[in-house]
């Protein structure tokens, strides 16, 4: 098994390299049946997260018995377009935060039980909020303060790593469109997240996907929710700027 995937990767290394193209959603690389699943909210296996997120949005949490809705009002109005500009510098903490981290900070503000990264609650709220930006282009606002984070994210993206000594663009730029173990390699864009991945049989975050890719090249991944992964995420949002948010996406 191990040898087979290694030789597949070696074969890849000798294919011709393709020049950088316009950003293209992973959706466009999928089979029609998987696309159809994403297109229909009733068939979309990730859509339950939107409903579950809405339930949580209205649920009192913490000692004051407040809900997200108590402070914010209707999610459709208040979170419209928010996911399209994340990650951002959080005013309160001065840290770069993605949506998941921001939601963790919000529940901490409420004094509620801390919600673990990738927990069903965080995934649901992230999906609900991302859904309020569906069909809106990802548009990070790269201020001078954000530039160093972006530069670090780019470095992580371009760094070769793991036993296979591969960088992200060696697959997602040089080999986008090529086959690898039953998958068609896409550009590795982040506009559909959280996604329901059929291979996992459950939904997952952007960071879970980064982790999966790093493990597949036998590299030690950063922690989900770590500064490094959020910087990488910022870089990927910038790289795919203009692609519309598809959350909840469906992938093979
Ligand atoms: C050995 C090749 C390979 C490398 C190296 C690799 N990936 Fe991937 N990646 C894949 C495959 C295969 C998939 C699943 C099919 C697809 O969507 O491309 C994938 C999927 C993704 C997706 C989901 C795309 C979507 O539309 O849902 C993202 C995001 C991603 N990769 C990011 C990364 C990042 C960040 C790195 C570097 C840390 C990386 N990948 C390194 C092979 C690779
Ligand atoms: C006590 C009132 C209060 C509660 C409860 C509250 N928030 Fe907030 N939230 C705010 C305020 C004020 C801001 C703007 C300042 C900031 O970003 O910290 C904000 C900002 C946000 C943002 C960032 C919006 C942006 O434009 O960047 C998100 C996302 C968010 N809240 C989600 C939630 C979620 C999810 C919950 C429930 C788990 C929640 N909030 C509960 C008061 C609250």
């Amino acid at each position: 098994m191990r040898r087979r995937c290694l030789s597949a990767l070696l074969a890849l290394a000798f294919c011709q390299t393709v020049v950088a193209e316009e950003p293209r959603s992973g959706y466009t690389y999928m089979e029609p049946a998987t696309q159809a699943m994403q297109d229909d909210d009733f068939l979309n296996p990730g859509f339950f997260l939107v409903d579950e997120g809405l339930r949580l949005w209205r649920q009192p949490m913490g000692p004051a018995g407040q809900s997200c809705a108590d402070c914010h009002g209707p999610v459709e109005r208040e979170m419209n377009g928010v996911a399209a500009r994340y990650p951002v510098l959080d005013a309160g903490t001065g840290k770069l935060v993605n949506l998941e981290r921001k939601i963790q900070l919000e529940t901490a503000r409420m004094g509620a039980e801390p919600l673990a990264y990738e927990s069903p609650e965080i995934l649901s709220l992230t999906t609900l909020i991302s859904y309020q930006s569906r069909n809106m282009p990802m548009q990070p606002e790269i201020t001078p303060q954000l530039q160093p984070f972006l530069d670090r994210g780019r470095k992580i993206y371009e760094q070769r790593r793991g036993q296979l000594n591969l960088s992200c663009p060696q697959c997602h730029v040089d080999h986008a469109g090529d086959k690898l173990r039953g998958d068609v390699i896409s550009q590795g864009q982040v506009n559909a997240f959280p996604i329901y991945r059929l291979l996992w049989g459950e939904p997952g975050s952007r960071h879970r996907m980064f982790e999966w890719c790093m493990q597949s090249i036998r590299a030690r991944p950063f922690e989900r929710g770590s500064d490094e992964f959020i910087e990488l995420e910022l870089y990927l949002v910038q790289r795919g700027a203009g692609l519309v948010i598809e959350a909840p996406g469906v992938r093979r």
Side-chain angles (χ1 to χ4, degrees):
M1 194 58 203
R2 190 164 181 136
R3 201 184 350 240
R4 237 182 53 202
C5 58
L6 259 177
S7 60
L9 282 161
L10 284 180
L12 272 181
F14 291 107
C15 296
Q16 93 287 17
T17 37
V18 185
V19 220
E21 307 167 79
E22 284 289 287
R24 218 181 113 180
S25 170
Y27 177 89
T28 65
Y29 293 88
M30 290 189 313
E31 311 239 326
T34 321
Q35 292 178 336
M37 236 186 253
Q38 175 174 309
D39 292 342
D40 185 337
D41 291 346
F42 290 98
L43 294 180
N44 185 327
F47 205 82
F48 74 96
L49 292 170
V50 176
D51 299 328
E52 179 57 15
L54 194 57
R55 194 184 63 74
L56 289 169
W57 180 260
R58 296 171 175 151
Q59 176 180 295
M61 299 180 211
Q66 264 180 331
S67 70
C68 315
D70 286 339
C71 276
H72 283 286
V75 69
E76 297 82 7
R77 187 191 69 207
E78 281 299 306
M79 294 293 136
N80 185 274
V82 168
R85 44 179 184 76
Y86 267 63
V88 299
L89 274 186
D90 180 56
T93 58
K95 291 196 71 166
L96 183 71
V97 294
N98 62 358
L99 213 45
E100 285 89 340
R101 288 286 297 127
K102 180 63 179 169
I103 296 166
Q104 284 180 322
L105 291 174
E106 293 296 297
T107 49
R109 184 210 296 269
M110 297 156 84
E113 285 282 300
L115 299 179
Y117 208 92
E118 207 75 33
S119 61
E121 291 84 3
I122 289 282
L123 274 175
S124 302
L125 284 166
T126 306
T127 306
L128 172 72
I129 294 174
S130 301
Y131 180 65
Q132 310 310 319
S133 296
R134 211 193 215 183
N135 296 324
M136 294 181 196
M138 291 195 297
Q139 235 153 21
E141 203 195 313
I142 307 298
T143 56
Q145 295 98 299
L146 225 52
Q147 193 62 47
F149 296 94
L150 187 67
D151 293 342
R152 280 199 293 275
R154 181 184 192 127
K155 247 195 176 143
I156 295 171
Y157 183 72
E158 290 174 347
Q159 172 100 58
R160 285 166 168 266
R161 64 183 79 240
Q163 278 175 35
L164 301 184
N165 198 29
L166 287 171
S167 66
C168 317
Q170 282 180 286
C171 279
H172 288 298
V173 176
D174 299 350
H175 291 290
D178 291 343
K179 278 214 147 175
L180 179 63
R181 279 177 278 153
D183 270 318
V184 178
I185 303 178
S186 70
Q187 290 183 355
Q189 300 286 358
V190 291
N191 57 308
F193 285 79
I195 57 167
Y196 189 97
R197 195 157 184 235
L198 301 171
L199 192 70
W200 292 334
E202 57 184 18
S205 68
R206 288 170 172 174
H207 292 192
R208 180 171 176 186
M209 192 76 226
F210 302 165
E211 181 187 275
W212 183 88
C213 285
M214 285 195 177
Q215 281 167 346
S216 77
I217 52 172
R218 317 220 188 290
R220 193 149 142 238
F222 298 103
E223 296 280 317
R224 297 176 192 171
S226 63
D227 292 347
E228 289 86 354
F229 266 175
I230 299 178
E231 289 161 1
L232 177 60
E233 180 176 348
L234 174 68
Y235 175 70
L236 290 177
V237 168
Q238 162 73 8
R239 169 179 181 252
L243 288 179
V244 300
I245 303 261
E246 296 172 10
V250 181
R251 292 293 182 265
R252 177 172 172 278

